[in-house]
Amino acid sequence: MRHTWAALLMFVLGSGQAAQALDTPKADTGIDIQKVVPEGKLPGKGVPYFIRNGEGERYLVGGLVAGLIARGVDTQELFEAAILTGGRDANLPPHTHARTHEAILVLDGEVELWLGQGHYLLIRGDFASIPEGTPHALKMRSHRTRLISWSTGKEMGPLYKALGQPYEGYVQPPEVNPEISKELLEKAEASADVRFERKAPSRSTPQRVTNGTVPDKKVPYVLASGEGQRLVAGSELFSLVGDQRNSDGRFIVVVSEGPAGDMIPLHFHEKHTETFFCLDGSITMRVNDATVTLAPGDFVHAPARTIHAYQLNSHYTRMVGFLTPGLFESFFRTLGDPYPAYVYPQTPPPFRFDRVLSKLNELDLKLVQPPASKK
């Protein structure tokens, strides 16, 4: 029988040890609770916020639209995120970042990626990790291609501003020159963490991504859709596609999927930021005092000390999270069991939250209160 979060909370509240952990931030930790900003714009400061699909700060860069959904100023300089949308032949020429670790996930279409010595063809769901100092380039191969790019620090947003111009549209113009001028490349080098190579990428045949192994050290790699370190907890499947070993502990990337279910308990983290990007289905989220519903392409930023919870609403819901720093990896490994399959279980195994209870502080998890009952 599928676990319910309501039953879990009854178990937790019945435990003397757990009851001591169910503290409200204001009462016992001295945390000043931030307010969510459920608006279609970026807040310009490090607070929780909600961005609908297509919203944010947009720039036309050659043949693609760079939609910034998280800037350094919005995340206390921890990370930045952008949605890149473009047509066939839209590209970013060969370049490296000296200080910025980038990770990309393809959302729609096909992406040709030159990564170090490799040359790959990525489709929806494929992932790439690009450590600092790694030469890379990308070209969009479909008439409508989209990917999300995460980057550490605060030095990628200026790249798109320097290469492009402010843009009111949500897709690229029907006719646009995909080439980026030498003058704009030099402007970007002067204002962002980027160095462009003055040669075209190789003309070799790109290889379809088939890799299913996450490396145990910090190296560039690609990962096929659905792959990763898979862990199951009750009815949800968590796939670690990037962990602390390959990011020097700076972040983890987790793809989560599951069926419709209960709202998980309200909680917060003292030491790390969590993000939620809906890929499929529908998600209801509590973010401090606000309740928002995420459709595919919607994004929530929940910095440390933000009270939050989520509920999967569809029969198949999938989301991806970028968590920084990466210390919450131990929560997933404590709660979940290794899982050989590629879709969430139809008959879930026992939900072992008891493993977590004795490690709440160690795992940077503070439970607050049960979720509101369904009406």
Side-chain angles (χ1 to χ4, degrees):
M1 182 175 68
R2 182 172 63 86
H3 79 274
T4 67
W5 284 105
L8 163 64
L9 262 294
M10 291 298 292
F11 169 73
V12 171
L13 289 169
S15 165
Q17 178 185 21
Q20 294 176 6
L22 291 172
D23 299 329
T24 62
K26 283 186 177 179
D28 297 306
T29 67
I31 294 172
D32 181 18
I33 299 302
Q34 301 154 325
K35 292 184 179 180
V36 70
V37 184
E39 302 175 357
K41 60 183 180 181
L42 298 173
K45 55 184 177 180
V47 297
Y49 65 90
F50 172 51
I51 286 288
R52 286 285 187 198
N53 185 15
E55 295 176 344
E57 188 176 283
R58 296 182 300 282
Y59 296 89
L60 182 63
V61 179
L64 59 84
V65 178
L68 307 186
I69 61 173
R71 307 163 302 181
V73 69
D74 308 308
T75 70
Q76 299 177 318
E77 301 183 356
L78 286 172
F79 75 97
E80 297 184 301
I83 306 297
L84 305 185
T85 303
R88 191 178 181 91
D89 294 330
N91 69 91
L92 288 175
H95 61 281
T96 59
H97 309 297
R99 296 170 296 279
T100 303
H101 191 148
E102 185 180 7
I104 66 172
L105 180 74
V106 178
L107 302 175
D108 293 295
E110 296 181 344
V111 174
E112 191 172 354
L113 176 69
W114 291 262
L115 181 64
Q117 300 301 311
H119 185 193
Y120 305 99
L121 182 64
L122 282 65
I123 63 171
R124 186 177 194 263
D126 289 350
F127 174 82
S129 181
I130 310 169
E132 51 270 45
T134 305
H136 60 288
L138 65 85
K139 178 185 286 188
M140 297 181 172
R141 294 277 298 261
S142 306
H143 295 301
R144 184 175 187 274
T145 304
R146 295 170 66 239
L147 62 87
I148 183 169
S149 165
W150 292 276
S151 54
T152 57
K154 60 173 183 176
E155 299 184 86
M156 279 287 281
L159 167 69
Y160 303 115
K161 294 180 182 180
L163 292 180
Q165 55 187 338
Y167 187 63
E168 295 297 324
Y170 298 93
V171 297
Q172 74 279 4
E175 295 182 5
V176 60
N177 182 1
E179 300 303 318
I180 302 173
S181 71
K182 177 182 177 182
E183 291 73 23
L184 288 176
L185 297 179
E186 292 175 347
K187 180 181 177 182
E189 289 179 332
S191 59
D193 177 24
V194 66
R195 181 65 58 187
F196 289 97
E197 299 183 14
R198 304 306 192 225
K199 61 180 181 180
S202 72
R203 294 181 176 274
S204 60
T205 301
Q207 302 299 306
R208 173 74 182 88
V209 175
T210 59
N211 178 49
T213 302
V214 177
D216 60 3
K217 57 184 177 180
K218 188 174 181 178
V219 293
Y221 67 93
V222 292
L223 195 67
S225 178
E227 298 289 355
Q229 304 166 67
R230 297 182 302 284
L231 303 166
V232 67
S235 58
E236 288 190 47
L237 171 60
F238 303 104
S239 298
L240 290 165
V241 298
D243 66 19
Q244 295 190 85
R245 295 174 301 174
N246 40 67
S247 72
D248 286 340
R250 298 179 72 180
F251 63 85
I252 62 171
V253 183
V254 184
V255 178
S256 307
E257 68 170 60
D262 301 318
M263 181 78 75
I264 71 171
L266 285 169
H267 64 281
F268 67 97
H269 314 291
E270 290 184 327
K271 300 176 182 178
H272 76 273
T273 288
E274 190 168 6
T275 66
F276 302 82
F277 186 89
C278 183
L279 296 169
D280 297 286
S282 170
I283 305 166
T284 297
M285 284 204 66
R286 288 279 305 278
V287 189
N288 287 338
D289 295 330
T291 300
V292 297
T293 300
L294 281 67
D298 295 348
F299 174 78
V300 165
H301 171 249
R305 303 179 179 182
T306 302
I307 294 176
H308 60 284
Y310 68 82
Q311 177 178 10
L312 307 184
N313 300 327
S314 304
H315 296 303
Y316 179 80
T317 303
R318 190 168 62 110
M319 61 182 170
V320 61
F322 182 90
L323 292 73
T324 182
L327 55 92
F328 205 53
E329 177 182 336
S330 57
F331 167 81
F332 295 103
R333 297 196 185 280
T334 300
L335 178 65
D337 292 306
Y339 186 66
Y342 293 87
V343 68
Y344 67 82
Q346 305 303 295
T347 304
F351 188 66
R352 296 299 308 276
F353 198 76
D354 56 298
R355 298 170 179 167
V356 172
L357 289 178
S358 62
K359 300 182 178 181
L360 290 179
N361 290 331
E362 175 186 334
L363 298 177
D364 192 26
L365 176 66
K366 292 286 188 179
L367 299 174
V368 177
Q369 63 184 52
S373 60
K374 296 181 181 179
K375 297 181 179 180

